Amino acid sequence: TGYITVDPGFGNTAACNSAITFIDGEEGILRYRGYPIEELAEKSSFVEVAMLLIFGQLPAKADVERFRGMLTDEQLLHEGMRYHFEGFPSHGHPMAMLSAMINACGCYHPELLSSEMDDERLLRATATLMSKVCTIAAFSYKMTKGQRMEYPDPSLSYCRNFLHMMFSMPHRRYEPPLQVVRALTKFLILHADHEQNCSTSTVRMVGSSGANVFASVSSGVCALWGPLHGGANMAVIEMLQQIHDGGDDPRSVVAKVKDRKFRLMGFGHRVYKNFDPRAKILEQTCSELFDTLGVSDPLLDIARELAAIALTDDYFLERRLYPNVDFYSGIILRALGIPLNMFTVMFSIGRVPGWIAHWYELYRDPDRRICRPRQIYTGSGKREYVPIASRG
Ligand code: CMC
């Protein structure tokens, strides 16, 4: 009943109240629980940021230590999960594996699927999800490489342990430089939440039916996969590589965009209309990483040139299109040695705390209702049924 209007892409519809993340798109401001993203990226660990997002406060040292212990306890996968992995073709996409395995993982933790959730149980579910996604991601990488799985090392921090599982070999242990660990930490913190984006709204939508946190997070992975959302970090590198391999002039690429023959990946945002603060931090991180590693990447040079041209062009200025988080994140992931088809998996690892925070906020909302949008029907009126023998 009442007056219903269509709002394509929900650009003008608030689906909920939320106290987790604040964005001012005009001013380029992003805060988690009130804390500026710039400060968190500089001073916090990813584990602290995860606790902040989910429980609302910067955690005390003892609480972080306890949670780190829980993360360590949850690093290993149940042996039964190996059979799930073996069922995937070795060329299967890691995002498909990740979403399926997160859901499967819930089956091994029935105590965490209960409809009675509280802080302590959610902390355990968070430790399980945050640890298992790293192990699943590294496992799927090793599988596609035909290499033996490296077991997690309980003595390592969250980021170091992930890098170890990805890149250590039986005969050679990977010891990442500090700058690599810092870049990964920043990448994860910057991706940890972004209010009602497509995947988070999906998690809330699924959670609104009362679905458990594993099923809801698994649905978030599926929503993130698309090239207009988390898949953009991969699409940016493919685009830059094409420009590089074809020897194209970035100016001709911008001209194609203006002719509407091309969409510049890593540009534009539904909310940020001046700049994306995450892109600023990552551009800086890129420079630091390449300087300290003493390496260069021709794709970074092309990216900078493209950005410089686009940022002075009327087409981009009129539409207020600026580089977004994905414009530089792929270049960082390449420098860390992450293969292209795992870029969106990396985004997922970062976004898990945000998805859980939103799932829990919704779970505790006394006004929670199942999400059930309306529609305006545009199909045909009542029709006479035609038996199959009489159809032309
Ligand atoms: N390149 C060229 N033109 C663009 C771009 C772009 N990347 N993005 C938007 N436009 C134009 C679009 O053609 C339209 O022009 P006009 O008004 O003349 O028809 C105008 O800008 C508004 O675009 P829109 O598609 O209505 O904007 P939206 O808010 O629906 O889409 C977006 C936002 C992020 C999906 C879009 O900007 C885009 O496709 N960007 C490229 C993909 C990308 O980088 N995605 C990552 C987003 S940030 C991380 C995340 O959310 O995961």
Side-chain angles (χ1 to χ4, degrees):
T1 60
Y3 184 60
I4 300 171
T5 51
V6 177
D7 180 12
F10 307 118
N12 205 25
T13 298
C16 60
N17 294 309
S18 179
I20 301 171
T21 286
F22 172 78
I23 299 178
D24 182 333
E26 289 297 322
E27 298 296 327
I29 294 173
L30 170 61
R31 296 186 199 127
Y32 296 163
R33 299 285 188 182
Y35 297 100
I37 191 67
E38 293 79 5
E39 238 181 315
L40 292 172
E42 202 48 52
K43 299 178 183 165
S44 274
S45 68
F46 178 57
V47 168
E48 278 176 87
V49 168
M51 295 177 83
L52 168 71
L53 282 168
I54 297 168
F55 298 106
Q57 306 298 334
L58 278 173
K61 197 161 180 246
D63 294 333
V64 178
E65 288 313 313
R66 177 165 178 262
F67 183 54
R68 282 192 197 280
M70 291 166 97
L71 283 164
T72 301
D73 290 347
E74 293 300 335
Q75 281 170 359
L76 283 170
L77 294 179
H78 189 285
E79 274 301 303
M81 296 274 281
R82 272 181 175 273
Y83 299 110
H84 294 280
F85 267 111
E86 283 165 14
F88 284 107
S90 58
H91 58 270
H93 198 289
M95 284 297 273
M97 292 189 206
L98 185 64
S99 70
M101 295 298 279
I102 288 173
N103 228 338
C105 190
C107 304
Y108 294 92
H109 295 276
E111 75 287 1
L112 302 177
L113 305 184
S114 155
S115 55
E116 296 296 311
M117 192 52 95
D118 55 30
D119 283 3
E120 186 55 28
R121 191 172 272 165
L122 190 80
L123 191 67
R124 193 146 292 284
T126 302
T128 306
L129 277 160
M130 280 180 66
S131 270
K132 302 290 195 233
V133 287
C134 286
T135 313
I136 292 167
F139 207 121
S140 67
Y141 171 68
K142 291 288 187 187
M143 201 173 99
T144 52
K145 297 282 280 183
Q147 292 173 1
R148 203 192 76 180
M149 172 70 188
E150 282 302 315
Y151 279 100
D153 179 342
S155 71
L156 297 177
S157 70
Y158 187 83
C159 288
R160 282 186 185 274
N161 190 46
F162 174 70
L163 292 165
H164 157 69
M165 288 191 288
M166 285 288 288
F167 300 124
S168 286
M169 304 278 274
H171 57 282
R172 179 178 48 80
R173 194 181 166 93
Y174 177 60
E175 304 282 357
L178 183 63
Q179 247 57 37
V180 164
V181 180
R182 282 298 305 149
L184 177 60
T185 304
K186 281 191 187 174
F187 171 91
L188 295 176
I189 291 174
L190 292 176
H191 285 78
D193 193 44
H194 214 232
E195 50 122 299
Q196 307 309 317
N197 57 86
C198 175
S199 57
T200 302
S201 302
T202 303
V203 168
R204 292 187 83 115
M205 168 78 87
V206 172
S208 79
S209 73
N212 68 71
V213 66
F214 288 81
S216 304
V217 166
S218 154
S219 74
V221 173
C222 296
L224 191 73
W225 194 353
L228 296 187
H229 191 11
N233 55 15
M234 223 173 125
V236 170
I237 295 296
E238 282 166 347
M239 176 188 79
L240 296 174
Q241 192 74 55
Q242 256 173 22
I243 297 172
H244 177 262
D245 296 350
D248 297 343
D249 175 0
R251 284 184 193 284
S252 68
V253 177
V254 170
K256 268 195 253 170
V257 172
K258 289 160 71 173
D259 285 348
R260 294 168 177 279
K261 295 198 176 111
F262 195 72
R263 189 162 269 236
L264 200 56
M265 299 315 287
F267 258 72
H269 198 273
R270 175 64 60 79
V271 183
Y272 293 121
K273 297 298 174 195
N274 258 328
F275 67 92
D276 178 340
R278 303 167 302 170
K280 271 201 174 171
I281 298 171
L282 284 186
E283 187 187 4
Q284 175 78 20
T285 309
C286 255
S287 302
E288 284 165 13
L289 185 64
F290 283 93
D291 289 351
T292 49
L293 294 183
V295 294
S296 61
D297 184 343
L299 299 198
L300 178 58
D301 301 334
I302 297 174
R304 286 190 171 134
E305 211 180 325
L306 263 178
I309 299 167
L311 292 175
T312 51
D313 191 287
D314 283 348
Y315 175 94
F316 290 86
L317 293 175
E318 278 159 17
R319 289 167 183 76
R320 309 178 77 190
L321 300 171
Y322 298 88
N324 60 47
V325 68
D326 292 315
F327 197 63
Y328 295 106
S329 65
I331 294 169
I332 292 181
L333 294 177
R334 250 166 79 91
L336 301 188
I338 307 288
L340 194 60
N341 69 347
M342 278 194 66
F343 281 15
T344 318
V345 168
M346 297 304 296
F347 192 152
S348 309
I349 294 175
R351 189 53 59 90
V352 162
W355 288 331
I356 297 173
H358 282 272
W359 183 91
Y360 197 41
E361 184 177 69
L362 178 74
Y363 175 83
R364 290 191 299 181
D365 185 348
D367 298 326
R368 166 161 66 108
R369 291 175 85 196
I370 187 165
C371 291
R372 204 308 184 185
R374 304 300 302 272
Q375 67 162 25
I376 292 174
Y377 177 69
T378 59
S380 89
K382 184 169 182 254
R383 297 202 275 180
E384 282 300 318
Y385 183 80
V386 183
I388 195 161
S390 319
R391 290 176 214 158

